[in-house]
Amino acid sequence: MSGRAPTDGELLVRIAARDEAALRELHGRYARAVLGLALRRVGDRGRAEDATQETFAAVWRSAGTYDPSRGPGARWLFAVARNAAV
């Protein structure tokens, strides 16, 4: 590699190819932010933690639907998180 950290989009492409290390890296970058979003939406820490877990499970299942031409990976991730918190 070039020594730079992969972009969120690059991680999502790798996750679509079932790269568990890429999922761990994306989780490390965004788990706190996703939890914060879920907590604001559902108002209950336990339910927010469940929504956060569901977010990353959904990312694992559906990363292949991420289309880099439609925007950054973080935007796609937060759309998944908003859906999980509903």
Side-chain angles (χ1 to χ4, degrees):
M1 254 237 233
S2 64
R4 69 168 180 79
T7 66
D8 300 332
E10 290 167 341
L11 289 175
L12 288 167
V13 169
R14 289 172 42 198
I15 292 166
R18 296 299 183 239
D19 183 334
E20 292 178 18
L23 180 64
R24 283 191 300 275
E25 186 166 345
L26 192 72
H27 183 275
R29 287 182 188 180
Y30 288 104
R32 286 182 64 137
V34 168
L35 178 61
L37 179 134
L39 190 53
R40 286 189 301 279
R41 292 197 86 127
V42 301
D44 174 80
R45 184 157 187 96
R47 289 179 54 214
E49 289 171 353
D50 290 345
T52 300
Q53 183 175 358
E54 177 53 33
T55 295
F56 287 97
V59 166
W60 180 254
R61 288 191 306 269
S62 61
T65 66
Y66 168 67
D67 179 359
S69 71
R70 297 191 67 200
R75 183 182 304 161
W76 184 87
L77 172 70
F78 283 111
V80 172
R82 283 190 297 278
N83 288 335
V86 170

